[in-house]
Amino acid sequence: MKNKDELLYTKEHIWISEENGRAWIGITDFAQKSLGELVFVDLPDIDDVILEGETFGTAESVKAVSDLFMPVDGTVVAVNEEASQDPEIVNQDAFTAWLIEISVTDQLQLSGLMSAEEYQLFINGDQ
Amino acid sequence: MIYDIAIIGAGPAGYTAAISAAKEGYQVALIEGDQLGGTCLNWGCIPTKTYYKNADFLKNLRSADVFGVSLQNFSFSLDEARKRKDEVVAQLKKGVAQLIEAHNITYINGQASFLSPSLLQVHGVETRQVQAKNIIIATGSKSRKLTISGADHSAILDSQSILELSELPQDLLIIGGGVIGIEFASIFNYFGSNVHVVEFMPDILLNEDREIVKRFLPLLKKQGVKVSLSAEVTDILPVENGFVVTIKNKKGQLETIEVSHVLQAAGRVANSSGLDIEKAGVEQNKGMITVDQNYMTTANAVFAIGDVNGISMLAHAASHQAIKVVEHIKNPDKKSKHGVIPSCTFSFPEISSVGLTEEQAIEKGINYKKNKFLFVANGKSLSLGNKDGFVKVITDQNHVILGVHILGPHASDLIHEAVLAVDQGLKVEDIADMIHAHPTLSEAFHEATAGIIGKAIHQI
């Protein structure tokens, strides 16, 4: 997987790491910090086809429940069982604790996402 | 002699009916073909909860370091656990026997069958006839036998035979992810077996609120239990040290796995075989005896209570029906109130519920409100070493409490305040205004309820 500077980001605080049509998806460190200690992440089933902007799961912390929005269209090929069984690993390192792995339907959609730099500017404005 | 009431089956339905009727001054005969106490006491609730305690003890030993205790090593003997279980069962059975005797109930050991709606033939040590003005059928249920190829092999366990094992199974493949399957999975996993639950449906514990199950499943997996959903066992082949089991997985592919033991836990079916109910004019539907709201069958003065009528497969529902039937015999014109039925699953952590699930509220078109309070925000829960689970409360728009679902420590004990609330139609404000002692797990119910009207203190 790529390091956080090479990832792509959404306004919904999701990161995506794409290589040759396969992509790993997780929540950003900013999202992790805002949510606080995660107690549960609900992830989709393998083979689910989820479109950009649809929810692929929820993350629940002691403070709030948050929907997780798909950054691009894709088919779920794997879910991180470790994260669903022990959500605290997302708090420990949000950029290595991926949540789902997908097969990307349309790689062109990736060009609409933010770079690390753009995302940083976005959250600075957000705060 | 003509008895006022003859009861067939001495499980929680039958013996409760017998004692309740004797207290009303009736002459009672209680007929049992097997063991006093029925499935609940001998092969169900009581033995499994005794094993649950053993599993809980092992769970605590495994996390001893969390509590500052260092253990070099420890071992577990299923045979010793079985002996303790047998002692608990024997003690309770003795207690029930004393109650039967103290109430001057005629206890007859033998298989009963109907000769007419008021006459029974009982085959015991000797064959005798029992005549009664009222007859109550309380013959319970038995494990559902699967029709899978190889499932009739004698070494395949059911919820009864698994309790007689004296050596720990290396593997335990459980067919069925209902309450029975999940309880055995939780228990034998902490005993040290490799447990794999195979469930035909897309989810486990189908009667529970989906949100509870969604939270519970990752916890069960984290404990080490393997769970296959939407998966079907298609063949069980006996081999030298166990079985080769063929499973059709979610994608329709066939997988084979070799395991030492297989447990069938695919539900229970009413047990009315051998009763010759047709001679009494008692009708059944899909194996369950048809009853009206007073638990009377299609034959006058013949009643059916407990698992055999298919209304509920829970012991406490059975004993409640027993009391209601005796009330009806005493006073046929009085309308009786049927209580709400709580249910408990002894997993880690426990699961309990009463009233409507969120799915049922949606199905009924109720404009509901809901709130959850997490045990991670409850001081007592944390002090016990538990961060998992929550209390979920469902109300209508007028704040009347319709359903409560608990995943967490001592959920089976905590549910009863919710049973009171749902049974009595209490409102959120009734609970919110009640002082709950601190620090207790019960505060989680208080907070979950108060949160409906935005008055939970430890919730954002």
Side-chain angles (χ1 to χ4, degrees), chain B residues 55-284:
Chain B
D56 186 43
F57 202 93
L58 285 161
K59 179 177 180 283
N60 288 330
L61 288 179
R62 281 178 201 172
S63 57
D65 57 327
V66 174
F67 298 92
V69 179
S70 67
L71 286 171
Q72 295 310 313
N73 60 41
F74 56 87
S75 64
F76 168 67
S77 158
L78 181 57
D79 198 37
E80 289 302 316
R82 187 175 60 93
K83 285 178 193 156
R84 189 179 85 85
K85 180 259 299 178
D86 289 342
E87 280 167 23
V88 171
V89 170
Q91 186 180 341
L92 281 168
K93 201 150 41 179
K94 206 166 112 190
V96 177
Q98 282 167 353
L99 289 170
I100 299 295
E101 204 188 329
H103 287 91
N104 293 318
I105 294 160
T106 307
Y107 182 73
I108 305 165
N109 202 247
Q111 296 286 345
S113 57
F114 281 93
L115 295 173
S116 80
S118 60
L119 189 64
L120 297 169
Q121 176 110 302
V122 183
H123 298 282
V125 181
E126 53 187 86
T127 298
R128 60 184 284 187
Q129 292 188 347
V130 174
Q131 194 172 4
K133 293 175 195 160
N134 298 278
I135 294 179
I136 301 174
I137 304 167
T139 45
S141 60
K142 53 192 175 187
S143 290
R144 184 194 302 276
K145 291 277 173 223
L146 292 166
T147 50
I148 303 161
S149 137
D152 52 354
H153 193 275
S154 63
I156 294 177
L157 301 166
D158 64 15
S159 58
Q160 185 167 337
S161 58
I162 191 172
L163 296 168
E164 300 315 318
L165 294 177
S166 52
E167 270 183 48
L168 186 66
Q170 187 193 321
D171 319 296
L172 186 63
L173 183 133
I174 301 177
I175 307 172
V179 175
I180 297 172
I182 294 304
E183 287 192 355
F184 278 115
S186 303
I187 291 167
F188 277 79
N189 178 52
Y190 277 112
F191 280 3
S193 300
N194 300 313
V195 180
H196 183 177
V197 176
V198 181
E199 169 58 52
F200 180 72
M201 300 298 282
D203 212 348
I204 59 167
L205 299 174
L206 291 175
N207 291 330
E208 295 300 333
D209 189 275
R210 285 307 88 198
E211 208 169 355
I212 291 275
V213 178
K214 228 173 193 184
R215 287 308 184 78
F216 170 67
L217 194 55
L219 296 173
L220 183 69
K221 288 180 180 170
K222 197 175 170 181
Q223 288 159 22
V225 174
K226 192 175 170 199
V227 181
S228 302
L229 300 175
S230 304
E232 185 185 0
V233 172
T234 56
D235 186 64
I236 306 169
L237 180 71
V239 290
E240 198 180 332
N241 290 314
F243 300 91
V244 170
V245 180
T246 307
I247 300 169
K248 191 161 128 193
N249 71 17
K250 207 176 182 175
K251 292 182 180 169
Q253 298 154 336
L254 294 179
E255 296 170 12
T256 56
I257 32 174
E258 192 169 338
V259 291
S260 67
H261 290 74
V262 174
L263 169 69
Q264 290 199 44
R268 294 180 68 82
V269 288
N271 174 31
S272 58
S273 56
L275 287 173
D276 292 343
I277 52 170
E278 62 287 350
K279 289 188 187 163
V282 171
E283 287 170 16
Q284 54 180 343

Side-chain angles (χ1 to χ4, degrees), chain A residues 40 42 47 60 62 85, chain B residues 214-215 221-222 372 376:
Chain A
F40 183 67
D42 177 32
D47 293 337
E60 183 166 338
V62 294
Q85 282 169 30
Chain B
K214 228 173 193 184
R215 287 308 184 78
K221 288 180 180 170
K222 197 175 170 181
K372 274 193 324 235
V376 74

